[in-house]
Amino acid sequence: MANYAFLGPPGVGKGTLAAEFCNARGMQHVSTGDLLRAEIQAGSELGCRVQEFVSSGGLVPDDIILDLMENFLTGDSDTGYILDGFPRTIEQAERVEAMAETIGFRLVAAILLEASDQIVVDRLTGRRICRGCKATYHLSFGPPQQAGLCDKCSGELYQRGDDQEETVRRRLEVYRNQTAPLIDFYDNLNRIIRIDASSDKATNFAALSEKVP
Ligand code: AMP
């Protein structure tokens, strides 16, 4: 089955659009950020090793991420994967290419979601997440009916520590230095699909659905 990676700066909407895309096409959504946060919340050994990197807005070392993903992905998934937030460095991307030989895992394309820094900073700093069902809200663009509470399950809404403005700026810098080089990497392989993700969710999703076969 087809596998895709979603690429783009923090806050561009990778998680939201990947979840919707997977729903629409019956694919499996794999978010490395969600996997790492679940480990941190569970207080596992892996969670303890990665906590510092995640909360500072830096990247978790490649060997830890690659161990996690190499155990997780298989080449013969019936549904195909949407990789959300992975690969994030050239080293990770090269190891994903090598998985074609080892486990038969192939990326059809990297889907690059694009929006300006100002847009992504506004989206991230206003983002709130339900502790219960993980639904996301935005204080300005999609607030809950009752402040601080989830519309779906009445769970408490919280702000991710790394969504505070200073850490968001650091995550953007990390993106520019370490992840943006992947754009040329996939472009050179003729496997990049560019999507303008600067509008509202419905418009961005329509653009995505139209451009991805
Ligand atoms: P995200 O939810 O995708 O914004 O990821 C949150 C944080 O998890 C990032 O700021 C990194 O610290 C870490 N992380 C997620 N995916 C990766 C990855 N592929 N490589 C390294 N660190 C990652």
Side-chain angles (χ1 to χ4, degrees), residues 32-33 36-37 54 58-60 65 85-86 88 92 160 171:
T32 40
L36 295 171
R37 280 184 292 278
V54 174
L59 291 185
V60 170
I65 293 289
F86 173 84
R88 235 167 163 119
Q92 292 177 19
R160 268 171 54 176
R171 287 164 65 201

Side-chain angles (χ1 to χ4, degrees), residues 54-184:
V54 174
S55 57
S56 68
L59 291 185
V60 170
D62 286 335
D63 53 345
I64 299 182
I65 293 289
L66 286 160
D67 268 359
L68 182 74
M69 295 307 278
E70 280 168 350
N71 286 325
F72 196 96
L73 299 174
T74 67
D76 57 0
S77 145
D78 287 340
T79 56
Y81 295 99
I82 293 293
L83 306 183
D84 163 9
F86 173 84
R88 235 167 163 119
T89 63
I90 292 284
E91 166 73 18
Q92 292 177 19
E94 282 172 346
R95 290 279 286 272
V96 170
E97 291 306 296
M99 286 182 201
E101 296 299 319
T102 51
I103 59 168
F105 179 90
R106 287 182 178 75
L107 270 187
V108 175
I111 299 173
L112 173 64
L113 304 177
E114 298 179 290
S116 71
D117 282 7
Q118 192 54 53
I119 288 178
V120 301
V121 170
D122 287 348
R123 282 185 192 159
L124 285 179
T125 53
R127 176 162 73 175
R128 297 294 180 273
I129 302 168
C130 173
R131 278 197 201 284
C133 71
K134 313 274 181 261
T136 57
Y137 296 85
H138 191 281
L139 296 182
S140 316
F141 313 136
Q145 281 164 10
Q146 210 182 327
L149 290 182
C150 178
D151 293 348
K152 295 178 185 149
C153 75
S154 302
E156 183 200 354
L157 302 188
Y158 76 103
Q159 180 178 36
R160 268 171 54 176
D162 61 348
D163 278 350
Q164 278 157 29
E165 180 149 356
E166 198 181 319
T167 315
V168 165
R169 298 261 174 215
R170 161 124 169 85
R171 287 164 65 201
L172 273 173
E173 197 185 305
V174 167
Y175 172 76
R176 242 176 255 119
N177 293 336
Q178 300 192 63
T179 307
L182 296 188
I183 300 171
D184 279 348

Side-chain angles (χ1 to χ4, degrees), residues 36-47:
L36 295 171
R37 280 184 292 278
E39 295 287 339
I40 293 171
Q41 208 173 352
S44 69
E45 194 202 322
L46 174 62

